[in-house]
Amino acid sequence: MQLKIGFMLLCFFCLFSCQDNERQSEIPQVQNGIINLTNVKFENHTILTLSGDWDFFWQKLITPTSSTDLVPSVIPIQNNNSENKTTFMKIGKRWKDIHSGTGFATYQVKMILPDTSMEEPFAIRFLQTGGAAIKVFVDGNLSLSLGKVGKTKEAMIPTRSSGIIVLPYGQKQINLTVHISNYYHDDGSFWYPPKLGKYRDIQNEYVKEITFDSLLTGALFFMAFYHFLLFFFRRNRSLILFFGLFSLTTALHSISLNGDILYHLIPNVPYRIAFSLSLIFYLAMPFYLSFLAQLYPNQFSKKFIQIFSSICFLLYLAVVLLPTELGSQTTFFGIFFTISGLLYSIVSLTRSAIKKQELALSLLIIQVFILISAINDTLNLYGLFQHILVLKYSYLSTVLFQSLILASFFTKTFIKNETLKNELTKLNESLEQVVVARTKEYREAKQIAEEANQWKDKFISLVAHDLRSPLSTVYSALTLTYDEDTPKEEKDHISKQIFVILENAMSTVEHLLNLNRFQLDKGQIHLDLTENNVAESVKQVIETFALELQKKSIQIEITVSDSAQIYADKSILNEIIRNLIANAIKFSHPNGKIVVSFSETVAESTISIRDYGTGISLEQKSRIFTDPIPSQGTFGEKGFGIGLKLCYELMRLQNGNIRVESEITQGSLFLLEFPKRNPS
């Protein structure tokens, strides 16, 4: 869709260009101050331009003559160098090319009209020329006055308006004399050739042009007002402000493109204001680049735009502050920087379009069309060739295209709002159910927390009770060792018993500390997950149980290869193995056996610890990891079951799992299942 619109815009420009070239090649031009239109058929709204070589009198206001008088072909003109100059000058050629930039002169042309001029009146339209004042005489009679012609700057009053004169009806030969003075613009002379045609065609073209330019200017002002209003409610979006300023500057410049609109609105507008408005386009490109930079910050250089904008603002400040004839000398630089800004925006938008950023292709097409229009109108302004002025059409296309983009944007926003509204309605309908569900979850979480707190209190009470008993025994035993009557053999035996009692007490304390670390604050634990050698960890833990194994004459068989690896926290892994080995020793019979093995699949690694002791009942097995029941070992060892609950919490902490397979009198098999390391 975007490519089709861009192709249509380019074809639109080429169509006007080709039609204009075709007309220019067919119509006659002024030669040596005379134009013969006898063979021209003014049909189908034909309007031609009086371009070509007019009789020219520099620094002279020649007395107007009638068509019956002879117009001299060569008159010597004196300048500062006292050189003779040709009396013929093309309309559009600047005075500073052959004389000085400002001054006054007379243009004359003798027209031979076709027979159709006897049927209905003809008219000539004189277009605006910045900084100039014009008087037009038809056969010696004053027919049009634009501004006030004078031989000095103080004596003249410039204007930017155009005008229409009606030629005498029924007369085939017309002598046209134009007095023009220009002291307010560096580029003096006629800028654009007058247009000749039937009066009704000239009038219709004028009305259409005024109507079109008024609509264009109104649309631009509306766009500016709309974006300023939108920015008032959304001040965090500076791109809206920049596009509003761009629309405002182009609207003000659009008024100057057809000065008649401005003079219709403000009849007595000072020329300086009209001149300043004509060059306000210096500011349009900085605002538009700032707008694009907000859309695509990664493709536009903020520093470049700041420097570019500063230069353009300084140029326009010179236009406002300096005399108009000096300010007009900035026109070339203003056009140069405007076209440079267009080229920069096209390069940046091309990068955005390649990356398929939103709206980039649409804006790129607009920029290309504006660039072509600006180059065309610039060449036309400097008289390099006569083309139709298309910059105002590019303004219109920009406004229309932006309207389409905004309509698309607002449509998407509207659809999104409707979707959100429907989703919100559904959410409101299910809000009560969600609240009920969340309330239930909160109650369950509260119950779990209360149960955990109760378990903690019970655990601390049991451990405190369990610690008091061994400490009392140790105290009594130490008292005996200090008794001189106690035999040495008995003292040695008591010392060994004290060592065993203290070792068990330390194990109980370690359980308490580990539970406080891993269960109560597990949400804040930092895990150091690494690859661990299973055989090394198992052997390291078993060494700490040498005394217990010796007491019960229990044999441990390790069937783990030296290359077996587990991905886990090493300290947590050792703690889990230590608890399960201690549990296996506790419930094994004398001369029993414990087997530690290892297996793995693609997804997980498993450590198995099997004993052949008392086994676990079905009731105990269902709650062994969540609600342990205190039980005694085969040698009357006491415990509270907290070791298995701790193992359960530690395995969950590492996203692992612990299972048990057991029957009464058949021993138990504990399985530790660790997930393997994620390759990513």
Side-chain angles (χ1 to χ4, degrees):
M1 178 64 181
Q2 294 174 343
L3 290 175
K4 289 182 179 179
I5 295 176
F7 180 74
M8 291 172 61
L9 293 176
L10 293 177
C11 289
F12 173 78
F13 170 77
C14 295
L15 178 62
F16 271 99
S17 300
C18 293
Q19 290 178 346
D20 187 66
N21 286 334
E22 183 179 353
R23 289 196 299 265
Q24 290 295 329
S25 62
E26 293 178 353
I27 63 175
Q29 294 188 350
V30 178
Q31 295 181 358
N32 297 331
I34 300 175
I35 182 169
N36 189 347
L37 304 172
T38 303
N39 298 322
V40 178
K41 295 181 180 181
F42 286 84
E43 298 175 350
N44 300 323
H45 309 289
T46 302
I47 296 177
L48 57 85
T49 57
L50 299 177
S51 57
D53 297 322
W54 289 41
D55 285 323
F56 178 71
F57 305 91
W58 174 243
Q59 298 293 68
K60 292 182 181 295
L61 299 178
I62 301 299
T63 302
T65 59
S66 67
S67 57
T68 58
D69 297 330
L70 180 63
V71 180
S73 60
V74 178
I75 297 178
I77 304 298
Q78 301 294 324
N79 64 357
N80 294 336
N81 297 325
S82 300
E83 295 179 353
N84 292 335
K85 296 293 182 180
T86 178
T87 60
F88 302 113
M89 178 176 281
K90 290 185 179 295
I91 298 297
K93 188 175 180 63
R94 301 306 195 248
W95 290 347
K96 64 182 179 181
D97 293 340
I98 59 172
H99 299 292
S100 60
T102 58
F104 61 96
T106 299
Y107 289 82
Q108 283 188 341
V109 65
K110 179 176 289 186
M111 298 184 298
I112 302 175
L113 300 177
D115 294 336
T116 51
S117 64
M118 307 295 290
E119 301 172 0
E120 59 180 305
F122 274 60
I124 299 176
R125 183 184 176 193
F126 288 83
L127 305 177
Q128 65 170 342
T129 294
I134 296 176
K135 276 186 178 181
V136 182
F137 300 87
V138 178
D139 284 341
N141 298 316
L142 179 62
S143 299
L144 177 66
S145 181
L146 300 175
K148 180 181 178 182
V149 177
K151 294 184 178 181
T152 63
K153 181 178 180 180
E154 293 72 22
M156 71 164 291
I157 299 176
T159 184
R160 290 183 61 84
S161 63
S162 65
I164 298 175
I165 61 172
V166 181
L167 299 180
Y169 181 69
Q171 188 172 324
K172 290 196 63 176
Q173 292 190 12
I174 301 292
N175 194 54
L176 199 64
T177 303
V178 179
H179 290 173
I180 179 170
S181 61
N182 194 330
Y183 287 94
Y184 285 83
H185 200 287
D186 183 52
D187 285 335
S189 77
F190 268 133
W191 284 2
Y192 310 110
K195 293 184 176 182
L196 171 68
K198 294 180 181 179
Y199 172 72
R200 58 184 172 86
D201 294 334
I202 292 290
Q203 186 67 19
N204 288 339
E205 183 190 63
Y206 174 75
V207 172
K208 289 180 181 178
E209 187 175 312
I210 287 291
T211 302
F212 177 82
D213 289 348
S214 298
L215 291 174
L216 171 62
T217 303
L220 289 169
F221 273 119
F222 175 79
M223 290 289 289
F225 173 77
Y226 168 77
H227 282 85
F228 290 149
L229 186 64
L230 191 61
F231 177 72
F232 179 79
F233 293 103
R234 300 191 66 181
R235 298 186 181 181
N236 60 325
R237 300 297 300 273
S238 56
L239 82 164
I240 300 176
L241 174 63
F242 287 131
F243 191 79
L245 292 171
F246 167 73
S247 299
L248 178 62
T249 52
T250 51
L252 294 173
H253 178 59
S254 177
I255 293 179
S256 72
L257 288 179
N258 189 332
D260 296 320
I261 299 177
L262 181 61
Y263 284 95
H264 279 305
L265 294 174
I266 311 174
N268 298 320
V269 60
Y271 174 75
R272 170 169 283 279
I273 293 179
F275 170 73
S276 299
L277 289 177
S278 69
L279 298 183
I280 200 171
F281 72 88
Y282 291 5
L283 306 181
M285 190 50 57
F287 290 138
Y288 197 66
L289 286 179
S290 299
F291 161 72
L292 294 176
Q294 293 291 319
L295 282 177
Y296 312 106
N298 295 329
Q299 306 302 330
F300 286 82
S301 169
K302 184 177 181 181
K303 185 175 182 180
F304 172 83
I305 294 177
Q306 289 176 345
I307 297 174
F308 179 85
S309 300
S310 299
I311 294 174
C312 292
F313 275 94
L314 288 175
L315 282 175
Y316 190 68
L317 186 63
V319 170
V320 174
L321 298 180
L322 294 177
T324 58
E325 65 272 20
L326 296 179
S328 63
Q329 295 180 15
T330 66
T331 304
F332 172 79
F333 299 101
I335 294 174
F336 171 79
F337 281 106
T338 298
I339 293 178
S340 299
L342 284 169
L343 290 173
Y344 175 73
S345 67
I346 288 173
V347 172
S348 300
L349 286 173
T350 300
R351 292 198 297 263
S352 301
I354 292 174
K355 295 184 178 181
K356 297 183 179 180
Q357 293 181 278
E358 187 177 7
L359 302 179
L361 183 58
S362 303
L363 294 172
L364 175 61
I365 294 172
I366 292 176
Q367 291 300 89
V368 171
F369 183 62
I370 294 178
L371 175 64
I372 295 174
S373 304
I375 293 175
N376 173 82
D377 284 25
T378 300
L379 296 176
N380 190 294
L381 174 65
Y382 285 98
L384 298 181
F385 57 85
Q386 296 300 322
H387 248 253
I388 187 171
L389 298 175
V390 295
L391 188 57
K392 54 187 176 183
Y393 298 107
S394 68
Y395 284 156
L396 177 62
S397 64
T398 301
V399 171
L400 293 177
F401 209 93
Q402 287 291 349
S403 299
L404 291 174
I405 292 174
L406 289 175
S408 174
F409 173 77
F410 288 134
T411 300
K412 292 178 181 178
T413 304
F414 177 77
I415 295 174
K416 183 177 180 180
N417 289 338
E418 285 293 315
T419 303
L420 291 176
K421 180 181 177 181
N422 294 334
E423 292 178 355
L424 182 60
T425 301
K426 293 180 181 179
L427 288 175
N428 288 334
E429 292 175 352
S430 61
L431 180 60
E432 185 176 352
Q433 298 177 359
V434 172
V435 171
V436 172
R438 292 292 182 270
T439 303
K440 183 179 179 181
E441 291 177 2
Y442 294 151
R443 287 176 178 173
E444 291 176 353
K446 180 181 178 183
Q447 182 179 357
I448 293 173
E450 289 177 349
E451 291 176 354
N453 193 52
Q454 292 174 1
W455 184 88
K456 172 188 173 184
D457 293 341
K458 180 180 179 181
F459 170 78
I460 293 175
S461 298
L462 292 173
V463 170
H465 179 271
D466 201 37
L467 286 175
R468 182 176 62 182
S469 178
L471 290 177
S472 299
T473 303
V474 169
Y475 177 78
S476 300
L478 288 175
T479 303
L480 292 175
T481 59
Y482 281 100
D483 188 353
E484 295 179 355
D485 297 332
T486 303
K488 184 177 184 304
E489 293 79 5
E490 188 175 350
K491 287 182 179 181
D492 292 338
H493 178 72
I494 291 173
S495 297
K496 292 180 181 180
Q497 292 296 321
I498 290 174
F499 178 78
V500 173
I501 293 171
L502 288 177
E503 188 178 50
N504 291 332
M506 288 177 64
S507 176
T508 302
V509 172
E510 188 174 358
H511 276 292
L512 177 61
L513 294 177
N514 284 331
L515 186 64
N516 182 63
R517 174 191 172 202
F518 294 117
Q519 179 177 339
L520 302 180
D521 298 323
K522 63 185 179 183
Q524 300 178 356
I525 289 180
H526 171 70
L527 297 178
D528 184 15
L529 297 175
T530 58
E531 294 288 351
N532 296 274
N533 186 281
V534 179
E536 181 181 327
S537 295
V538 171
K539 292 176 182 178
Q540 182 179 351
V541 170
I542 290 176
E543 288 177 357
T544 63
F545 290 98
L547 183 60
E548 286 82 354
L549 293 171
Q550 184 179 0
K551 286 181 180 179
K552 285 190 172 185
S553 300
I554 295 175
Q555 179 184 1
I556 289 188
E557 180 181 337
I558 303 174
T559 60
V560 179
S561 67
D562 293 338
S563 61
Q565 298 286 325
I566 286 285
Y567 186 65
D569 183 294
K570 185 173 183 178
S571 60
I572 294 178
L573 175 63
N574 290 348
E575 179 66 22
I576 295 171
I577 296 175
R578 194 192 71 80
N579 275 277
L580 293 181
I581 294 295
N583 195 67
I585 295 174
K586 177 180 176 182
F587 293 102
S588 292
H589 298 292
N591 300 313
K593 181 181 179 181
I594 298 173
V595 179
V596 180
S597 60
F598 174 82
S599 64
E600 61 180 338
T601 63
V602 176
E604 63 184 15
S605 303
T606 304
I607 298 177
S608 304
I609 300 177
R610 174 182 290 278
D611 68 75
Y612 299 90
T614 59
I616 305 171
S617 67
L618 183 63
E619 179 185 359
Q620 286 180 318
K621 189 167 63 172
S622 64
R623 55 192 295 188
I624 193 169
F625 297 120
T626 57
D627 189 15
I629 300 175
S631 57
Q632 292 185 347
T634 55
F635 271 16
E637 301 99 327
K638 294 181 179 181
F640 306 109
I642 58 174
L644 293 178
K645 183 174 178 67
L646 178 63
C647 290
Y648 174 75
E649 296 294 341
L650 294 179
M651 288 301 296
R652 285 206 325 175
L653 185 65
Q654 300 182 102
N655 297 319
N657 185 39
I658 181 172
R659 295 188 294 111
V660 62
E661 298 175 3
S662 180
E663 294 181 9
I664 292 293
T665 71
Q666 300 299 315
S668 303
L669 171 64
F670 285 89
L671 302 169
L672 301 174
E673 298 169 342
F674 293 86
K676 286 197 172 182
R677 183 173 187 174
N678 192 336
S680 60

